[in-house]
């Protein structure tokens, strides 16, 4: 799913860079990325999603040379093949849970909203246990329910890869395991691989593999 | 389509803010347009009234005061003249003269003392009751009757000229004998009495059982200005009413002169050209036209002020859009991360702005349509208040 070799990136204003000699993720694999704050974990997610372009090296995601794509191409790639789950959920406060799940279809010209998509959104909500809360807005949902809605949003476009950035960081201990199990189960159903950045070492045994990013930061980058 | 759906969802969620923005924008749009239409309606009304009045004769002084008082019964009274001036017009054989006695009020409505010629000249017809026939009677304009809820069989009392003038005239209680048909002009807002009745109000004519406090018995004639009392012309005392002085010296405030032809009008105008003549003659259409020239000069300043306010409002809207974009920065980032354009939220804000402005335009249009019917009465009120 992901093949990265000698991946290098430095922030334009300097002070921090990232060097990844090699990183692989197989289809359907669940990989945890750990490391101290500022080690470049979130930057790696940005590079894989095509939000940032690497300065050097090779990066294939689902067989696509992402850095070679145009800006529009990378956006379309992101919308169609990558699902994002964020620590702070990033749900849209003025939309219902249903519309939040369908949000990628409302903002990306690469995706087309039809009855099948709506049915899939309903099925995901059912599986996530929020089917009876689809008409509520995020402000009327609990933290755990919000993250479930966010997981449904990440999966609705049937992505090949889920990128989770501290997805359980804002949840209580009881909800953490439940949400992660849900994420894994739904990803497995969709045949998607999961690359999750986390600080929570208690959750690491649930992953297939763990990569420590402590040594990948390049603080000499200018 | 999605942009529209998202924009509507945002506006619905922030409905109070949306409503306030729509109301403010609608008022900013509707106010100058409404004022424009009000001025146009007022101008049309005032001009029509002025054009329907060929000439006015009054004491030399402010031409505008004379025109405003004689045409629209304004509160600013012109210098007075006497009935001799009206007699002179009649005797000239050049025009019909319609003297007007102005200045008194009854429950805020102007009391207009006029001859029956005035009613025929203005085309005023009685919608309820009958025309003036006896001394002391009043006929109400349609607007006054509606405002005060009075009709034939009721009575109206003239207001004292000056509250602190203890030696001044006593109010006159006048039976309302008729209500005029609505004209849409200043006549609707006036109380009409015969000239002689106006002179009775002024104290030139009076009876001898005229000062009666409430509850006083017949024969208790009390002349004490401290008492709350009024006079009334009744069948019992009408014969005792009489006037002092020569009729030619009785005061009036203006004369409407309707020349019999253009030649007569020219000759009549010529007779008042001498600056030593204490009387003047004015062509109301010319005076009102001059007034509106001044109004429009002022209006151009007003337009400039409105333009500045509109510019400031546009800047405020721009600031609101900028702040909205700042507040929605996270939403912008989320949209971009999920595959949307960086400009997704900016396009949403633009769509929301267009929707708000469209709704504001519709509301402004509705306000203008709803006030369409009120425009004429407001214009009439403004004309009357002018």
């Amino acid at each position: 799913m992901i093949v990265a070799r000698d991946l290098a990136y430095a922030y334009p204003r300097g002070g921090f860079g990232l060097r990844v000699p090699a990183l692989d993720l197989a289809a359907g694999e669940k990989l945890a990325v750990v490391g101290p704050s500022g080690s470049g974990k979130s930057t790696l997610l940005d590079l894989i999603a095509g939000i940032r372009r690497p300065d050097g090296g090779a990066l294939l995601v689902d067989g696509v040379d992402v850095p070679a794509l145009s800006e529009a191409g990378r956006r379309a790639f992101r919308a169609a093949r990558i699902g994002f789950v964020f620590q702070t959920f990033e749900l849209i406060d003025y939309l219902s849970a249903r519309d939040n799940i369908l949000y990628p279809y409302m903002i990306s010209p690469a995706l087309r909203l039809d009855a099948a998509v709506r049915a899939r959104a309903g099925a995901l909500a059912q599986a996530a246990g929020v089917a009876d809360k689809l008409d509520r807005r995020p402000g009327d949902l609990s933290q755990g329910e919000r993250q479930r809605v966010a997981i449904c949003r990440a999966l609705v476009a049937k992505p090949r890869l889920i990128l989770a950035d501290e997805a359980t960081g804002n949840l209580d201990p009881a909800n953490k395991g439940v949400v992660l199990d849900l994420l894994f189960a739904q990803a497995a159903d969709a045949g998607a691989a999961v690359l999750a950045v986390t600080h929570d070492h208690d959750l690491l045994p649930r992953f297939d593999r763990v990569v420590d990013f402590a040594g990948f930061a390049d603080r000499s980058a200018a | 389509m999605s942009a529209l759906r998202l924009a509507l969802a945002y506006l619905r969620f922030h409905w109070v803010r949306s409503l306030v923005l729509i109301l403010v924008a609608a008022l900013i749009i509707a106010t100058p347009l409404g004022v424009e239409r009000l001025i146009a309606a007022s101008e049309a009304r005032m001009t029509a009234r002025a054009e329907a009045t060929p000439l006015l004769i009054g004491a030399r002084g402010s031409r505008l005061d004379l025109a405003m008082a004689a045409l629209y019964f304004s509160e600013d009274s012109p210098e007075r003249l006497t009935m001799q001036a009206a007699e002179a017009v009649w005797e000239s054989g050049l025009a019909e003269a319609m003297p007007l006695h102005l200045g008194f009020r009854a429950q805020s409505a102007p009391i207009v003392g006029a001859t029956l010629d005035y009613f025929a000249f203005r085309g005023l017809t009685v919608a309820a009751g009958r025309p003036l026939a006896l001394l002391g009677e009043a006929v109400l304009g349609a607007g006054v009757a509606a405002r005060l809820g009075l009709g034939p069989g009721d009575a109206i009392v003239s207001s004292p000229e000056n509250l602190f003038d203890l030696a001044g005239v006593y109010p006159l209680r006048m039976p309302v004998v008729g209500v005029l048909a609505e004209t849409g002009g200043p006549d609707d807002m006036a109380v009409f009495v015969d000239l002689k009745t106006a002179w009775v109000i002024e104290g030139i004519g009076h009876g001898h059982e005229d000062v009666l406090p409430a509850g006083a018995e017949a024969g208790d004639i009390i002349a004490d200005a401290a008492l709350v009392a009024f006079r009334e012309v009744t069948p019992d005392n009408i014969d005792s009413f009489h006037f002092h002085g020569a009729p030619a010296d009785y005061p009036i405030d203006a004369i409407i002169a309707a020349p019999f032809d253009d030649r007569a009008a020219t000759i009549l105008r010529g007779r008042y050209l001498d600056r030593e003549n204490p009387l003047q003659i004015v062509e109301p259409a010319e005076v009102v036209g001059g007034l509106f020239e001044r109004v429009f000069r002022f209006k151009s300043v007003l337009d400039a002020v409105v333009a500045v306010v509109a510019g400031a409002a546009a800047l405020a809207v721009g600031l609101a859009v900028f702040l909205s974009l700042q507040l929605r920065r996270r939403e912008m980032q989320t949209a971009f991360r999920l595959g949307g354009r960086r400009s997704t939220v900016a396009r949403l804000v633009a769509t929301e702005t267009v929707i708000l402005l469209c709704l504001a335009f519709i509301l402004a249009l509705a306000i203008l349509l709803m006030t369409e019917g009120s425009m004429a009465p407001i214009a009439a009120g403004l004309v009357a208040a002018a």
Side-chain angles (χ1 to χ4, degrees), chain A residues 154-174:
Chain A
L155 288 159
V156 72
K158 293 200 284 188
R160 303 281 295 137
L161 174 64
I162 303 291
L163 298 177
D165 193 356
E166 299 283 359
T168 56
N170 266 4
L171 300 177
D172 58 72

Side-chain angles (χ1 to χ4, degrees), chain A residues 46 51 71 75-76 78-79 84 86 88 90 92-95 99 102-109 113 118 137 153, chain B residues 2-3 5-7 9-14 328 330-331 334-342 344-345 347-348 352:
Chain A
D46 284 355
I51 291 167
E71 166 74 25
R75 273 192 278 113
R78 199 153 62 236
F84 260 106
F86 308 100
T88 46
E90 305 302 341
I92 308 302
D93 60 354
Y94 58 85
L95 294 179
D99 284 345
L102 296 171
Y103 187 65
Y105 284 85
M106 296 182 191
I107 55 162
S108 172
L113 185 59
R118 289 180 191 281
R137 292 200 173 93
R153 180 180 65 186
Chain B
S2 290
R5 183 175 169 183
L6 289 171
Y10 183 84
L11 294 177
R12 211 166 39 234
F13 184 69
H14 298 285
R328 295 171 75 177
R330 283 186 71 161
E331 183 186 344
T334 303
F336 181 65
R337 282 176 170 271
L338 297 182
R341 291 190 182 95
R342 278 194 192 278
T344 298
V345 174
R347 286 190 302 136
L348 285 183
E352 288 156 14

Side-chain angles (χ1 to χ4, degrees), chain B residues 32 54 73 184 228 256 268 317 319 339:
Chain B
F73 315 134
V228 178
I256 294 175
L268 192 63
V317 169
L319 181 66

